[in-house]
Amino acid sequence: MTYTTYPSRGRWLSLVINHADAWGLTCTITSLGLILHGNFNLQHFPLLLAVTVSYWLGFAVNDYFDAQYDGADVKKASRNFFCQVHLPKELLAASAVLLQVGVFVVFASYGLRGALTYFMAIFIMWAYSASPIRLKNRPGLDLLTHALFVQTFPYFVAVALPATGWERVDGGLLLMFILASLAAQLEQQVRDFHVDSQFESNFTIWFGLRPTRLLLKVITTLLGIHVVGMIVLGVLPTFLLPYILIAMPVMLHRYVRGKRNRSESLVRFSVILSLVYTAIVWIGVLSGYYVVSAL
């Protein structure tokens, strides 16, 4: 892999939009937590921005510590900014700190609860990717961390920090995000199995590729049952139903693709649709066209 110290404009753009499917999903999930509790307004908009920016940074940090491994695979290296560009550690550290100062100010505005939540998130961001802890290489802990912090934590933050109270729908959505995040991590580990198994360890490498594929289907089935249950019991607000329809092709693909890996284009397309629909919901809420509330 050829490195450059002076990234082109296109490479800088790739860093900005890197993992847009992941931090875009974070933006959507955080928005839902605010919208369902009537907190999608100017007062709490900085929280939405801070959480989204933090997750973008979290994925960038993960890429930074993965670069030494991703460089061994052409596809993974092409998706990793730090496999293509060498930047001084001092510049990277200063940029991250500067960015996080703003994020901390937003979290701290919610008092001690916000500050403690921020420091916990920063610790997990570092511990998941960096040595000596590197949770992503510890079978079991890798899945637990992903399940609790990738899709679930943004929703938790959006409800907990404004402190408007927990509703029945929140428990249902948190469990849904846990199962969805767990399935997504297994799917990613299956995709990267042949590269990761050369250098690292994780749950799929320890458990085996074939059993993990079966486990992925089991968790996806449980996720589907849970979602149907929420719909039947009237727990899921009707405005969330389009999100379920958008996610269905990605879920169904897990049953029919055999030994093939997930379709990255299908995942990206589903996230784009989710963001478009989220923007429509934003406009509807801000314009007062309709009012959304937790059940």
Side-chain angles (χ1 to χ4, degrees), residues 25 28 41 57 75 93 150 160 175 210 253 258 263 265:
L25 184 58
T28 295
N41 49 44
L57 179 62
K75 287 186 177 180
V150 174
L175 179 55
R210 184 174 179 180
H253 189 244
S263 170
S265 59

Side-chain angles (χ1 to χ4, degrees), residues 47-288:
L47 181 62
L48 170 61
L49 185 61
V51 173
T52 302
V53 168
S54 289
Y55 270 72
W56 169 81
L57 179 62
F59 285 101
V61 167
N62 184 66
D63 277 353
Y64 175 78
F65 287 107
D66 280 356
Q68 58 180 315
Y69 309 109
D70 289 351
D73 180 75
V74 175
K75 287 186 177 180
K76 295 189 74 173
S78 66
R79 297 194 298 261
N80 192 325
F81 173 86
F82 300 101
C83 286
Q84 306 167 43
V85 176
H86 175 73
L87 295 175
K89 291 183 179 180
E90 295 79 10
L91 175 61
L92 293 173
S95 300
V97 169
L98 184 63
L99 194 62
Q100 284 302 301
V101 167
V103 172
F104 174 74
V105 169
V106 173
F107 274 74
S109 69
Y110 292 91
L112 180 61
R113 180 176 62 254
L116 292 176
T117 301
Y118 170 83
F119 286 117
M120 179 176 64
I122 288 297
F123 172 76
I124 293 297
M125 180 191 299
W126 169 79
Y128 182 74
S129 302
S131 299
I133 300 179
R134 198 162 165 83
L135 292 170
K136 68 181 299 180
N137 285 162
R138 301 182 183 275
L141 291 177
D142 55 347
L143 298 188
L144 180 63
T145 305
H146 203 281
L148 294 180
F149 287 95
V150 174
Q151 294 186 32
T152 312
F153 194 65
Y155 187 85
F156 172 83
V157 169
V159 177
L161 294 195
T164 48
W166 293 88
E167 305 290 344
R168 183 174 62 160
V169 65
D170 297 320
L173 288 176
L174 284 173
L175 179 55
M176 184 185 76
F177 291 135
I178 286 173
L179 292 172
S181 189
L182 182 59
Q185 174 68 340
L186 289 174
E187 196 166 45
Q188 181 176 315
Q189 289 185 357
V190 167
R191 181 197 67 189
D192 298 336
F193 176 84
H194 295 294
V195 176
D196 291 346
S197 59
Q198 299 177 45
F199 309 103
E200 306 184 88
S201 178
N202 58 40
F203 177 84
T204 298
I205 294 171
W206 170 79
F207 194 58
L209 189 57
R210 184 174 179 180
T212 300
R213 286 197 177 106
L214 177 60
L215 180 61
L216 174 60
K217 292 179 181 179
V218 170
I219 293 175
T220 301
T221 301
L222 292 175
L223 174 60
I225 292 173
H226 176 63
V227 170
V228 170
M230 285 197 296
I231 294 173
V232 172
L233 294 175
V235 175
L236 200 70
T238 54
F239 89 99
L240 293 181
L241 293 179
Y243 288 111
I244 306 302
L245 295 176
I246 291 170
M248 279 185 63
V250 175
M251 295 175 63
L252 293 175
H253 189 244
R254 294 168 181 167
Y255 295 99
V256 301
R257 67 184 181 225
K259 294 183 178 180
R260 292 177 298 166
N261 292 327
R262 74 181 188 183
S263 170
E264 300 299 328
S265 59
L266 181 60
V267 171
R268 285 192 294 269
F269 183 65
S270 68
V271 172
I272 291 172
L273 285 181
S274 294
L275 287 172
V276 170
Y277 179 63
T278 300
I280 294 173
V281 174
W282 287 353
I283 294 171
V285 172
L286 293 176
S287 66

